[in-house]
Amino acid sequence: MKIIMLGAPGAGKGTQAEMIAEKYDLPHISTGDIFRANIKAGTELGNKAKAYMDKGQLVPDSLTIDLVMDRLSQPDCDGGYILDGFPRTIPQAVSLTKALRDRGETLDYAINVHVPDERIVSRMSGRRACSGCGQTYHMVFAPPKTEGICNKCGSELFLRDDDKPETVKKRLAVYHNQTQPLIEYYGKQRILRTVDGTKDMEDVFQDITNILGA
Ligand code: ADP
Ligand code: AMP
């Protein structure tokens, strides 16, 4: 099964993608995670990506598309995957459609997690990321067992620079301008399924599994 996650920053794409990956045994490919790993490792790609991410802008397609296509050609993607945070622009979506078509493949589902803008800023200000393994928490909705410490690896949690309210507002504007048109793009391909992302995480997941099947 090949799935992409659509939705505003903070809508819950990563949270749901992780649960889907576990249930359906699919690799979870998050472009945001790939860029953050490169920043942490101090690679050239990481340095370039950071300049855009810190400003709430998208990393240019020229740096993003080949990276993802290369990742999708790895053997663990042969049985499908869940893409989280890609595509985010029409040129990215068109590249993905073409690459799949060249291999005689298509996407199965574009899951759009819908959350209105007014909910997003408060969600993002409560999000905490693990400095060790990248696991995501929320101070109110998904707190760690010990405050400030990752359940999985014991490292410290931190507020992402791009989750600060001023940057979140910029990211929302970027989302509406550049990513929202993908809803129509995948609607025309008849694979778009929209779920209400304002529900509790488990209820959103239930709605998604109803779509994907048992
Ligand atoms: P995205 O990947 O779309 O940017 P995340 O999955 O990281 O979003 O979720 C953003 C924040 O909101 C995280 O702190 C997460 O724990 C929390 N969150 C995710 N889904 C829900 C939900 N259904 N209700 C409340 N909080 C949620
Ligand atoms: P995320 O972790 O998905 O919220 O992504 C964090 C940031 O990484 C985004 O705000 C962008 O700057 C960058 N990014 C992630 N995925 C993409 C993409 N597909 N295209 C361009 N930039 C991206």
Side-chain angles (χ1 to χ4, degrees):
M1 195 151 50
K2 299 184 192 68
I3 306 166
I4 62 165
M5 302 298 293
L6 296 176
K13 301 181 296 296
T15 302
Q16 297 301 325
E18 200 181 316
M19 292 158 102
I20 296 167
E22 191 176 340
K23 180 173 167 74
Y24 297 92
D25 196 19
L26 295 170
H28 170 196
I29 300 167
S30 154
T31 39
D33 284 351
I34 295 173
F35 288 135
R36 281 185 290 277
N38 274 274
I39 292 171
K40 202 173 165 191
T43 67
E44 197 187 334
L45 172 68
N47 292 339
K48 284 184 186 160
K50 188 176 188 316
Y52 297 95
M53 290 166 76
D54 283 353
K55 283 188 253 169
Q57 296 170 356
L58 294 184
V59 178
D61 289 341
S62 56
L63 294 177
T64 308
I65 294 174
D66 289 349
L67 177 83
V68 175
M69 296 312 149
D70 182 56
R71 178 67 189 86
L72 297 184
S73 65
Q74 303 295 313
D76 66 323
C77 292
D78 286 351
Y81 43 79
I82 173 142
L83 263 176
D84 160 20
F86 184 97
R88 256 178 159 107
T89 64
I90 289 285
Q92 290 181 12
V94 170
S95 300
L96 179 61
T97 303
K98 275 195 196 134
L100 288 167
R101 194 185 294 142
D102 288 348
R103 296 182 213 163
E105 298 172 353
T106 51
L107 286 174
D108 294 291
Y109 295 104
I111 305 284
N112 176 33
V113 184
H114 179 73
V115 175
D117 285 10
E118 50 280 16
R119 292 261 193 133
I120 294 285
V121 178
S122 62
R123 260 208 201 173
M124 306 282 264
S125 57
R127 172 158 67 181
R128 294 292 178 274
C130 173
S131 54
C133 68
Q135 176 67 33
T136 296
Y137 296 87
H138 192 284
M139 280 160 62
V140 178
F141 305 119
K145 287 185 193 133
T146 308
E147 201 186 313
I149 301 292
C150 179
N151 294 348
K152 285 192 174 169
C153 74
S155 303
E156 274 185 39
L157 306 183
F158 70 101
L159 174 66
R160 274 167 50 177
D161 273 345
D162 61 348
D163 280 352
K164 292 178 180 153
E166 20 348 318
T167 314
V168 169
K169 284 183 194 141
K170 282 189 210 146
R171 293 172 69 196
L172 273 173
V174 166
Y175 166 75
H176 289 299
N177 284 329
Q178 301 198 55
T179 308
Q180 205 170 321
L182 299 185
I183 293 176
E184 195 186 334
Y185 181 86
Y186 287 109
K188 283 187 183 150
Q189 290 194 7
R190 301 194 171 275
I191 58 166
L192 182 76
R193 304 287 184 276
T194 296
V195 294
D196 178 358
T198 64
K199 295 183 183 178
D200 287 348
M201 292 171 201
E202 288 72 23
D203 294 334
V204 179
F205 185 56
Q206 184 60 57
D207 290 347
I208 293 176
T209 53
N210 288 345
I211 293 165
L212 302 181

